[in-house]
Amino acid sequence: MWVIRTLAPLALCLLAAGCGGGAADEKAAPANGSAPASNSTAPRAQEPLPDIVRVRLETEAGPIVLELDARRAPLTTANFVRYVDARRFDGATFYRASRTPGASGRGFIQGGIRRDVRRSFSAILHEPTSATGIRHGEGTISMARSEMGAGAIGDFFITASPMPSLDARPGKPGYAAFGRVIEGMDVVRRILAAPTVEGAGRGAMRGQMLAAPVRIVSARRME
């Protein structure tokens, strides 16, 4: 675990190592595009979560159902669920499609509150894959974060293919995977293939911003 540092209001991007299986290197890893939250946005204490929490995202491109692992990634799952329960993902968007060059169908999509301080809760501690054992396979949901291993706020990403380069390894904190898609991978791939704007975005996000961000209509826990 790392001590949380104050996060800058602008998106911070990291360069990622190459994916396994002979695929081309990733141009960019997920970045936390959230501004720091004030203490006034801190949520009330949550009741304990079950080991598995299912969340349904209704998006303009179709539904995505997530299965979150609260047993192995309790901090990250609780963070995501508090945004869901507070309805702070409602009206947010999937705004980024990071496609692996030369490898059709590989990459990830990124969504969340994107620098909206009004939606932000405080940052959490980083739960690396080396601690949770949850790897970045096909359909993994994971949290974007700032550089230097600081924890997540309210931006997340979903992989369309295995991406072991985003796992923790010596000297690299990786990203906090905490669940998987159990329905809606066709929606994930449709968003990944959507047009992006050449030259839009900063740093490693450049050229990966969706021309028409996909709205998250609602995010709700499932019974």
Side-chain angles (χ1 to χ4, degrees):
M1 298 294 182
W2 289 263
V3 176
I4 301 303
R5 299 167 57 190
T6 300
L7 302 182
L10 296 178
L12 297 172
C13 300
L14 301 177
L15 297 179
C19 285
D25 287 357
E26 291 304 311
K27 281 189 173 181
N32 197 334
S34 302
S38 67
N39 290 335
S40 64
T41 62
R44 292 176 297 179
Q46 287 182 306
E47 62 184 34
L49 295 174
D51 287 351
I52 296 297
V53 181
R54 291 184 176 87
V55 171
R56 183 181 179 92
L57 304 180
E58 293 288 351
T59 83
E60 291 178 320
I64 300 171
V65 178
L66 307 168
E67 186 175 83
L68 312 181
D69 194 332
R71 181 180 65 85
R72 293 194 290 171
L75 294 177
T76 311
T77 298
N79 177 67
F80 190 87
V81 169
R82 69 177 174 175
Y83 280 92
V84 169
D85 288 349
R87 303 194 175 185
R88 297 197 180 187
F89 286 140
D90 293 13
T93 62
F94 283 101
Y95 51 83
R96 182 185 182 194
S98 180
R99 296 184 279 267
T100 303
S104 178
R106 295 181 66 91
F108 63 83
I109 61 173
Q110 184 169 325
I113 64 174
R114 197 182 177 195
R115 296 192 299 277
D116 187 347
V117 69
R118 297 168 300 177
R119 295 176 184 255
S120 298
F121 289 126
S122 300
I124 60 169
L125 291 174
H126 177 59
E127 287 184 310
T129 57
S130 55
T132 65
I134 306 172
R135 307 300 181 186
H136 289 88
E138 180 180 340
T140 298
I141 181 169
S142 191
M143 293 303 295
R145 58 163 174 76
S146 72
E147 64 182 349
M148 301 305 291
I153 301 183
D155 287 85
F156 60 92
F157 65 96
I158 299 172
T159 59
S161 57
M163 300 185 73
S165 64
L166 303 183
D167 293 340
R169 57 192 186 278
K172 301 287 185 181
Y175 292 83
F178 64 104
R180 64 191 181 98
V181 175
I182 57 173
E183 294 179 27
M185 280 303 296
D186 57 326
V187 178
V188 172
R189 294 189 176 98
R190 190 154 56 245
I191 296 173
L192 182 66
T196 52
V197 180
E198 184 177 357
R202 296 184 178 185
M205 289 187 176
R206 189 172 180 84
Q208 300 179 356
M209 311 310 289
L210 289 171
V214 176
R215 184 169 176 264
I216 300 170
V217 179
S218 65
R220 298 288 185 271
R221 279 204 246 185
M222 301 173 67
E223 297 297 330

